[in-house]
């Protein structure tokens, strides 16, 4: 009996290692393709149009945070604690119906925003935003799929959706760069990006095979989970993550054009992987966290060592990477990259312990933590960006990242003592 238990534990550990490696490899692939994509975009579109593209991306990223209402968090936990595949498929079907309602609300909000925003007016982006809205639902589905696949521990599928769309988009941009570089508009690029994102949505739908069986019952269970757990996390996420997504929008508001938004986006692209390492490891362990009393010390130390090694490497290679792959005209992004790297290291470790609390259903604690962090980032963003522009946004990220780690560690230690 003991031999059987030890064998099962060993297989579980091997599975976790395999899943971590797979998700890490796919994320690195996705980052490499994303890196190549942005390198091509900076040369195809130029500084100003690339900045406009980045600004529009920031708008839809902000919408992903707002139009959630805790539904995605609730479903992720429901499928994580369930071993019934039919129920899981039912939750996905209900989610798609709810996403349609969220998309309608998002579209109306964006139309209103586009008519009152000075940033949209001064950069002449009204028409481009309007033609982007009809496919904007894809961003919401992508956001939901990340939570859902994490909850059901479909790591292979999650890995595939992270790198495949970027790979296809990269191939398309390579063709454009060599054949149609001077005849490609920002509108064309936006629609091509939507097309590649749609591929991942179709892949998940085909794999999950949603069912409408017991629709009302699944809907009721989701409603209860949102009320008891999901909405609390949403409120915190709205303040914390929403404040972060506002950075690019605020930079545009305080700048003459969106060039600084482009610099900040490049720096974020290259520094954000530092936060992904702890996030990936915690994502693979998510289901295990739900039944654990604490995070293993060896897992924490290994995550620390890997993350700080990458931080040092980023500092050393920052100037070379930006000038070699994006051009000397983007050299102003080097200092932004180095400053943002410290901020994302802090956010990564905040996320690492955040995942444990999320798996434990600590909605109120995460809500409170997110509110503290979000208010810190929001205030720091307004003050710093108004004074220092894009550099102010990078400094604000460090300040809020430090608060994030301290608050999350407080709640984590409290939960461990309780167990």
């Amino acid at each position: 009996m003991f031999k059987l238990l030890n064998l099962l534990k060993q297989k579980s550990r091997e599975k976790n290692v395999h899943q971590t490696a797979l998700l890490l490899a796919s994320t690195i692939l996705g980052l490499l393709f994303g890196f190549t994509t942005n390198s091509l975009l900076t040369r195809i579109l130029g500084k100003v149009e690339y900045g406009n593209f980045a600004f529009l991306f920031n708008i839809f990223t902000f919408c992903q945070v707002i139009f959630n209402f805790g539904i995605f968090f609730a479903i992720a936990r429901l499928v994580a604690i369930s071993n019934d595949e039919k129920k899981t498929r039912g939750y996905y079907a209900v989610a798609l119906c709810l996403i349609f309602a969220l998309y309608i609300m998002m579209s109306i909000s964006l139309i209103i925003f586009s008519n009152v925003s000075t940033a949209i007016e001064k950069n002449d982006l009204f028409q481009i935003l309007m033609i982007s809205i009809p496919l904007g639902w894809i961003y919401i589905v992508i956001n939901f799929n990340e939570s859902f696949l994490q909850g059901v521990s479909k790591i292979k599928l999650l890995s595939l959706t992270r790198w495949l769309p970027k790979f296809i988009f990269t191939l398309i941009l390579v063709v454009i760069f060599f054949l149609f570089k001077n005849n490609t508009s920002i509108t064309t690029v936006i629609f091509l990006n939507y097309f590649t994102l749609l591929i991942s949505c179709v892949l998940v739908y085909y794999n999950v095979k949603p069912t409408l069986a017991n629709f009302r019952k699944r809907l009721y269970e989701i409603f209860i989970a949102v009320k008891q757990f999901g909405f609390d996390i949403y409120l915190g996420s709205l303040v914390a993550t929403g404040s972060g997504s506002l950075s690019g929008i605020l930079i545009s508001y305080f700048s003459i054009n969106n060039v600084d938004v482009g610099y900040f986006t490049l720096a974020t692209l290259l520094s954000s992987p530092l936060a992904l390492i702890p996030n990936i490891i915690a994502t693979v362990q998510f289901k295990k966290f739900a039944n654990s009393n604490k995070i293993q010390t060896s897992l924490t130390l290994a995550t620390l060592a890997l993350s700080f090694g990458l931080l040092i490497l980023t500092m050393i290679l920052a100037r070379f990477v930006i000038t070699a792959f994006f051009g000397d005209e983007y050299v102003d992004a080097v200092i932004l990259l180095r400053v943002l790297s410290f901020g994302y290291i802090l956010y990564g470790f905040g996320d690492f312990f955040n995942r444990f609390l999320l798996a434990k259903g600590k909605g109120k604690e995460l809500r409170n933590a997110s509110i503290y962090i979000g208010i810190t980032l929001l205030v720091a963003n307004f003050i710093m960006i108004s004074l220092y522009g894009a550099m102010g946004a990078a400094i604000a990220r460090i300040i809020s990242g430090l608060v994030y780690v301290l608050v999350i560690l407080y709640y984590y230690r409290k939960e461990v003592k309780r167990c």
Side-chain angles (χ1 to χ4, degrees):
M1 185 65 179
F2 288 111
K3 288 184 178 180
L4 179 60
L5 288 174
N6 288 331
L7 181 62
L8 290 173
K9 288 181 180 178
Q10 183 180 353
K11 287 185 176 180
S12 177
R13 284 195 295 268
E14 289 175 354
K15 181 182 178 182
N16 285 334
V17 171
H18 175 72
Q19 287 183 330
T20 302
L22 179 64
L23 193 57
L24 179 58
S26 65
T27 302
I28 291 172
L29 270 179
L31 290 170
L32 288 174
F33 291 133
F35 174 85
T36 306
T37 293
N38 280 272
S39 178
L40 291 167
L41 284 174
T42 55
R43 299 175 189 276
I44 292 170
L45 297 176
K47 284 200 302 185
V48 175
E49 287 288 62
Y50 176 75
N52 289 335
F53 179 84
F55 175 64
L56 292 171
F57 177 78
N58 274 278
I59 289 175
F60 281 103
T61 301
F62 185 57
C63 286
Q64 285 180 319
V65 177
I66 295 178
F67 298 100
N68 177 336
F69 300 119
I71 295 169
F72 301 167
F73 298 118
I75 294 176
R77 169 141 175 95
L78 285 173
V79 298
I81 61 178
S82 173
N83 294 314
D84 188 332
E85 184 180 348
K86 191 173 182 180
K87 285 180 68 175
T88 296
R89 293 165 56 203
Y91 288 134
Y92 196 93
V94 174
L96 292 180
C97 296
L98 295 174
I99 284 171
F100 178 74
L102 295 173
Y103 165 67
I104 296 299
M105 287 187 281
M106 182 188 78
S107 300
I108 295 171
S109 301
L110 285 176
I111 291 171
I112 295 172
F113 171 75
S114 64
N115 281 280
V116 300
S117 170
T118 56
I120 294 291
E121 182 181 358
K122 71 182 179 182
N123 292 291
D124 196 24
L125 294 175
F126 178 81
Q127 185 178 358
I128 296 175
L129 181 58
M130 287 301 99
I131 62 178
S132 300
I133 289 175
L135 290 172
W137 57 269
I138 293 176
Y139 282 102
I140 303 179
V141 175
I142 291 289
N143 189 28
F144 168 67
N145 285 343
E146 278 279 326
S147 298
F148 180 84
L149 295 176
Q150 173 185 309
V152 294
S153 198
K154 288 183 177 289
I155 304 302
K156 288 184 180 180
L157 185 57
L158 179 59
S159 301
L160 187 63
T161 60
R162 283 188 175 180
W163 71 263
L164 184 60
K166 293 177 181 177
F167 171 66
I168 296 172
F169 192 39
T170 301
L171 289 181
I172 293 172
L173 289 180
V174 168
V175 174
I176 290 175
F177 180 75
F178 286 107
L179 300 179
F180 310 103
K181 181 179 178 181
N182 299 320
N183 299 305
T184 303
S185 67
I186 184 175
T187 305
T188 301
V189 171
I190 288 171
F191 276 109
L192 288 172
N193 187 39
Y194 273 131
F195 168 73
T196 56
L197 291 175
L198 182 60
I199 292 172
S200 70
C201 297
V202 173
L203 278 174
V204 176
Y205 183 89
Y206 178 79
N207 184 276
V208 175
K209 296 180 177 61
T211 175
L212 294 174
N214 297 312
F215 183 88
R216 290 185 178 180
K217 187 176 181 180
R218 300 289 88 83
L219 179 62
Y220 177 75
E221 289 168 352
I222 291 172
F223 172 77
I224 295 298
V226 169
K227 186 178 179 181
Q228 294 179 344
F229 164 71
F231 194 72
D232 283 330
I233 293 184
Y234 166 75
L235 288 177
S237 176
L238 183 62
V239 179
T241 311
S243 298
S245 301
L246 269 176
S247 297
I249 299 174
L250 288 174
I251 292 170
S252 177
Y253 179 80
F254 287 108
S255 302
I256 298 173
N257 53 40
N258 285 327
V259 171
D260 279 351
V261 180
Y263 291 153
F264 186 78
T265 299
L266 281 182
T268 300
L269 169 74
L270 297 172
S271 58
S272 58
L274 295 170
L276 288 177
I277 301 302
N279 198 300
I280 289 169
I281 294 172
T283 295
V284 173
Q285 298 289 326
F286 185 80
K287 202 172 184 72
K288 185 178 179 181
F289 283 168
N291 301 301
S292 302
N293 292 328
K294 65 177 183 178
I295 301 174
Q296 291 181 335
T297 303
S298 59
L299 184 65
T300 304
L301 291 176
T303 306
L304 272 169
L306 185 58
S307 297
F308 279 102
L310 287 175
L311 174 63
I312 294 170
L313 191 63
T314 301
M315 293 293 167
I316 295 171
L317 297 177
R319 176 175 287 273
F320 168 76
V321 170
I322 287 179
T323 55
F325 293 95
F326 300 98
D328 292 335
E329 60 182 335
Y330 291 94
V331 71
D332 288 346
V334 173
I335 185 65
L336 286 175
L337 168 57
R338 287 172 174 160
V339 175
L340 275 172
S341 294
F342 285 101
Y344 276 106
I345 276 286
L346 293 170
Y347 267 84
F349 278 98
D351 286 344
F352 182 73
F353 293 100
N354 182 306
R355 285 291 182 276
F356 180 87
L357 296 173
L358 181 61
K360 289 294 186 180
K362 298 299 174 180
K364 292 182 179 179
E365 287 82 354
L366 291 177
R367 177 202 61 192
N368 293 341
S370 296
I371 288 174
Y372 298 144
I373 300 150
I375 290 174
T376 301
L377 182 57
L378 189 63
V379 173
N381 263 335
F382 271 103
I383 295 173
M384 293 297 178
I385 293 175
S386 63
L387 293 174
Y388 306 112
M391 178 55 67
I395 295 171
R397 185 74 58 166
I398 292 179
I399 296 171
S400 61
L402 182 59
V403 173
Y404 186 24
V405 170
L406 293 175
V407 173
I408 287 294
L409 278 177
Y410 167 77
Y411 282 121
Y412 169 74
R413 289 174 63 84
K414 188 176 179 180
E415 175 62 18
V416 169
K417 288 180 179 179
R418 190 191 67 81
C419 293

